[in-house]
Amino acid sequence: MHPAPRPCNAIPEISVSRPWAQDAIRAADLLIDVREADEFAAGHLQGAVGMPRGVLEFRLAGNPAFERRDLRMVLYCKTSGRAALAARSLQSMGYMNVQSIAGGIEAWVQAGLPIVLPEQPSFD
């Protein structure tokens, strides 16, 4: 039995269960956390840039650093819903190499992979 064909505009997902997942993410030109600012501040992936889903297209369109449509982008959110919507939007803007992290940051944390946590003040 053959798997069902994926639509040509399906968003490739990076599974955190794969041994090469961290390498694929490090190889990206841009790692984007599309969660809200407070979610990003509570913990995010190393090297991620916080661009909430609601302003993503505006931030990318208004910045010359993101003009290249062949940029390798990896997106994530809490569970992967917002990242999938954002990735589809970026594809419609002409970005050709957009991926998302399957299961989002929740899957990442459940897999025991590292995140950047806010530093707590020291009262010593």
Side-chain angles (χ1 to χ4, degrees), residues 12-87:
E13 289 190 313
I14 297 171
S15 171
V16 297
S17 65
R18 302 283 186 210
W20 47 263
Q22 290 185 62
D23 293 334
I25 292 165
R26 277 192 288 272
D29 296 313
L30 191 58
L31 174 60
I32 304 174
D33 184 326
V34 298
R35 299 175 301 154
E36 295 300 316
D38 61 326
E39 294 174 288
F40 181 84
H44 55 273
L45 275 59
Q46 180 72 42
V49 175
M51 285 190 210
R53 170 69 192 100
V55 298
L56 177 67
E57 295 87 350
F58 299 109
R59 289 210 179 146
L60 292 176
N63 190 326
F66 306 125
E67 287 179 356
R68 285 187 22 233
R69 295 306 192 242
D70 64 343
L71 288 172
R72 291 171 299 175
M73 298 181 181
V74 174
L75 284 64
Y76 72 92
C77 61
K78 183 177 179 182
T79 59
S80 67
R82 285 177 279 181
L85 292 172

